[in-house]
Amino acid sequence: MDTDHGPSGPADAPLDAYSRVVTTVAGRVLPSVAALSVRTARGAGAGSAVVIGPDGLLLTSAHVVQGARDGAAAFGDGVETRFRVVGADPLSDLAVLRAEETTVPPVELGDADGLRIGQLVVAVGNPLGLAGSVTAGVVSGLGRSLPARDGRVTRLIEDVIQTDAALNPGNSGGALADSAGRVVGVNTAVAGYGLGLAVPLNATTRQIIAELTTDGRVRRAWLGVAGVPAPLPPEVTERTGQRRGLRVVEVVPGSPAGLAGIYLGDVIVSAGGRAVQDGQGLQRLMLGPAIGARLPVTVLRRGAFVDVVAVPTELTR
């Protein structure tokens, strides 16, 4: 039987389907991605940004606009306009901008928590000098952490998405979209990593974006405890379905954790009704709404569960 269907036969169908997905996503997202240019005391800088709301609301990477109060944005439809920085949060590497003029619709935002290894994603940027940049690949890693610093405060950006979609210079701040054209991450080209990385858009980062939009900054809560992941005893794992907790290795005297009665050697199992298996699990709870609010914490102490209540205070830089 002759199985050679020629250059346009069924053998090419998977490639055609793949191409259709990528071109559809590009057509949907690319018009809403702007090229940014900024000038600061450190010199000129460039990047990309995504229209996420009405009235010219844009989302980009904080490092793209670091040190800048405003800049210029250019869209693929030829519109060039000024923007101002509404708020930037270096600890999540996200910034919200407002452009004076936009003629394109906002993108649809997705949820990065639903991504799976091997899933198709498309990185869309608008580097200066290029009429848009589109690269496609798959999710090659989930749950990575990326260090970020703001003054003396260092924090890990959680659940960073790793892809094999190449990022061109100027793509930082651009969109990472799924096959349905929903934006699930903000691309970040980090010097020294050589990887396609994106800050995820999920419940936590949506809250950060909302605070930046309304308040121009992100307030964070402080508990005053440091810990390392530790395995839980088999009987605890059987009871809770949880394999790890956070062993306390430092409690700042007079801190909310200290006042609540959390001690060295305790293993934090849950906080605020959520399982805590590492420092990031506790860190993701430490956003604005937690400041001054009662935070129930369950610890494992000498084989027994102990419940305490902490009241986090605001983290000061």
Side-chain angles (χ1 to χ4, degrees):
M1 179 183 292
D2 183 8
T3 58
D4 183 3
H5 298 281
S8 59
D12 290 319
L15 176 61
D16 290 342
Y18 175 88
S19 298
R20 282 196 297 271
V21 170
V22 175
T23 55
T24 299
V25 171
R28 182 175 298 175
V29 177
L30 190 56
S32 300
V33 178
L36 302 183
S37 58
V38 298
R39 185 169 295 278
T40 67
R42 298 179 297 126
S48 301
V50 187
V51 179
I52 60 167
D55 303 325
L57 207 62
L58 307 176
L59 180 65
T60 187
S61 300
H63 72 264
V64 169
V65 294
Q66 182 179 2
R69 294 183 179 180
D70 54 24
F75 292 88
D77 61 2
V79 171
E80 297 184 5
T81 185
R82 301 291 299 176
F83 71 82
R84 64 179 177 85
V85 178
V86 176
D89 180 43
L91 295 182
S92 63
D93 197 23
L94 293 173
V96 172
L97 321 173
R98 193 175 296 280
E100 294 177 358
E101 178 187 2
T102 57
T103 58
V104 295
V107 296
E108 180 184 355
L109 299 182
D111 186 358
D113 288 348
L115 291 176
R116 298 290 181 266
I117 299 292
Q119 185 172 338
L120 173 67
V121 285
V122 181
V124 183
N126 197 346
L128 287 172
L130 297 177
S133 169
V134 177
T135 56
V138 298
V139 176
S140 55
L142 291 168
R144 286 183 60 102
S145 296
L146 196 63
R149 180 180 294 274
D150 184 13
R152 294 177 298 173
V153 178
T154 300
R155 181 182 182 274
L156 290 176
I157 302 173
E158 312 163 38
D159 301 325
V160 170
I161 307 162
Q162 179 180 323
T163 81
D164 63 359
L167 295 184
N168 297 312
N171 265 19
S172 276
L176 184 73
D178 64 13
S179 58
R182 297 176 296 236
V183 175
V184 292
V186 177
N187 296 321
T188 180
V190 182
Y193 280 79
L195 299 170
L197 301 176
V199 175
L201 293 184
N202 52 26
T204 301
T205 50
R206 281 173 186 260
Q207 185 174 336
I208 289 171
I209 293 166
E211 288 194 34
L212 288 173
T213 302
T214 56
D215 303 327
R217 70 186 186 101
V218 176
R219 300 171 68 216
R220 284 189 168 81
W222 179 67
L223 199 57
V225 65
V228 296
L232 295 174
E235 62 272 16
V236 174
T237 296
E238 184 176 353
R239 175 177 169 181
T240 64
Q242 188 174 328
R243 295 182 177 273
R244 296 188 306 169
L246 185 70
R247 184 178 300 280
V248 177
V249 297
E250 180 184 3
V251 179
V252 178
S255 67
L259 295 175
I262 297 176
Y263 300 108
L264 289 177
D266 285 351
V267 178
I268 299 175
V269 178
S270 68
R274 299 185 184 183
V276 173
Q277 303 191 60
D278 49 30
Q280 292 95 314
L282 192 59
Q283 193 178 80
R284 68 169 56 97
L285 301 175
M286 296 292 105
L287 290 173
I291 299 170
R294 291 167 58 86
L295 180 71
V297 181
T298 298
V299 303
L300 188 66
R301 183 181 298 161
R302 293 190 291 274
F305 287 109
V306 177
D307 295 322
V308 300
V309 176
V311 180
T313 56
E314 184 169 359
L315 175 67
T316 56
R317 301 264 196 296

